[in-house]
Amino acid sequence: GAVVSQHPSWVICKSGTSVKIECRSLDFQATTMFWYRQFPKQSLMLMATSNEGSKATYEQGVEKDKFLINHASLTLSTLTVTSAHPEDSSFYICSALPWAGGGSSTDTQYFGPGTRLTVL
Amino acid sequence: EDQVTQSPEALRLQEGESSSLNCSYTVSGLRGLFWYRQDPGKGPEFLFTLYSAGEEKEKERLKATLTKKESFLHITAPKPEDSATYLCAVHDSWGKLQFGAGTQVVVTP
């Protein structure tokens, strides 16, 4: 149980193009999902919190116009990197909090397998 | 300020050589301490959640324990497939996961 998928697993794009990454909770519903970024040999850095049906909350220093997040359903959140540049190349990982019902979520985040983005 | 510190940074073990990883934390009002395993090029895989001092959880060769200031992840008789980076995280004051830098474990046959 508690499986999260990401698509694509890797993507190569040209500078200036936009890339969309999907995050799906496969066997549970999630009102809250998170997007992280990880650089080589570093730990995860939270970029934003995605809430179903409302605007995402971005961490300090993360450009919300560059990293567009949409959480349109209880099982899907998307991250769109707009006008990507080489410095956006990174490993992007999403996570999801299973919805416990009654307006609450559990505490444990389950992570997707990650998406490797390379911008040429 | 909430902080999570893991030690050692790296650990090289012979197969069967048991050892422990440390995660020390400072957070106001612990809402959960989490252990994850991360293989290269993959997302973190959930291992354990601990909520209160004295709590212990086990899974195969792994055992996690929690005190008021730190958590230990004990690896008993490790096998090469236990090689990974082990991440510790706590819920910070804002309810977000704050990760330590991780301990990279390599188990050689």
Side-chain angles (χ1 to χ4, degrees), chain A residues 34 36 38 41-44 46 49 57 59 91 93 97 107-114 116, chain B residues 31-32 34 36 38 41-46 49 51 87 91 95-97 99-102 104:
Chain A
F34 302 86
Y36 293 83
Q38 187 174 34
K41 298 196 180 297
Q42 293 188 25
S43 195
L44 284 74
L46 180 65
T49 302
T57 306
E59 295 301 296
F91 192 51
I93 311 173
L97 273 177
D107 288 332
T108 300
Q109 292 183 28
Y110 294 91
F111 287 82
R116 173 74 57 193
Chain B
R31 286 177 47 197
F34 305 83
Y36 291 87
Q38 186 175 25
K42 297 192 177 179
E45 174 190 343
F46 171 70
T49 307
Y51 289 104
L87 299 169
H91 267 144
K96 301 170 189 172
L97 269 189
F99 282 89
Q104 184 179 21

Side-chain angles (χ1 to χ4, degrees), chain B residues 16-96:
Chain B
E17 179 188 359
S18 301
S19 188
S20 293
L21 284 55
N22 177 267
C23 171
S24 62
Y25 62 91
T26 53
V27 63
S28 47
L30 182 68
R31 286 177 47 197
L33 184 140
F34 305 83
W35 283 99
Y36 291 87
R37 168 196 170 122
Q38 186 175 25
D39 293 305
K42 297 192 177 179
E45 174 190 343
F46 171 70
L47 294 174
F48 305 109
T49 307
L50 302 166
Y51 289 104
S52 55
E55 191 174 357
E56 298 183 351
K57 288 194 177 172
E58 282 188 72
K59 180 181 178 181
E60 295 181 356
R61 295 175 293 281
L62 301 177
K63 179 180 176 180
T65 62
L66 182 66
T67 72
K68 287 186 178 179
K69 293 184 178 181
E70 56 192 349
S71 177
F72 293 93
L73 184 66
H74 308 277
I75 310 178
T76 302
K79 298 181 177 182
E81 52 262 43
D82 294 322
S83 298
T85 295
Y86 290 87
L87 299 169
C88 169
V90 298
H91 267 144
D92 66 14
S93 308
W94 301 96
K96 301 170 189 172

Side-chain angles (χ1 to χ4, degrees), chain B residues 97-109:
Chain B
L97 269 189
Q98 185 161 349
F99 282 89
T103 294
Q104 184 179 21
V105 175
V106 174
V107 182
T108 56

Side-chain angles (χ1 to χ4, degrees), chain A:
Chain A
V3 179
V4 177
S5 71
Q6 277 184 245
H7 180 79
S9 55
W10 59 270
V11 56
I12 301 173
C13 68
K14 292 183 178 179
S15 186
T17 61
S18 294
V19 174
K20 181 186 281 189
I21 303 170
E22 292 187 348
C23 176
R24 293 181 185 273
S25 55
L26 298 184
D27 52 1
F28 63 95
Q29 293 181 325
T31 55
T32 304
M33 292 184 172
F34 302 86
W35 288 95
Y36 293 83
R37 189 171 178 176
Q38 187 174 34
F39 292 104
K41 298 196 180 297
Q42 293 188 25
S43 195
L44 284 74
M45 182 186 77
L46 180 65
M47 298 175 64
T49 302
S50 167
N51 294 293
E52 188 265 337
S54 63
K55 289 183 179 181
T57 306
Y58 291 82
E59 295 301 296
Q60 194 170 10
V62 177
E63 300 175 58
K64 59 182 180 182
D65 294 331
K66 181 166 190 61
F67 298 100
L68 300 179
I69 291 172
N70 185 288
H71 192 157
S73 78
L74 287 173
T75 58
L76 174 64
S77 176
T78 60
L79 168 69
T80 301
V81 183
T82 62
S83 186
H85 291 285
E87 57 265 30
D88 299 323
S89 298
S90 191
F91 192 51
Y92 292 87
I93 311 173
C94 72
S95 71
L97 273 177
W99 181 47
S104 65
S105 296
T106 62
D107 288 332
T108 300
Q109 292 183 28
Y110 294 91
F111 287 82
T115 297
R116 173 74 57 193
L117 170 63
T118 302
V119 185
L120 303 176

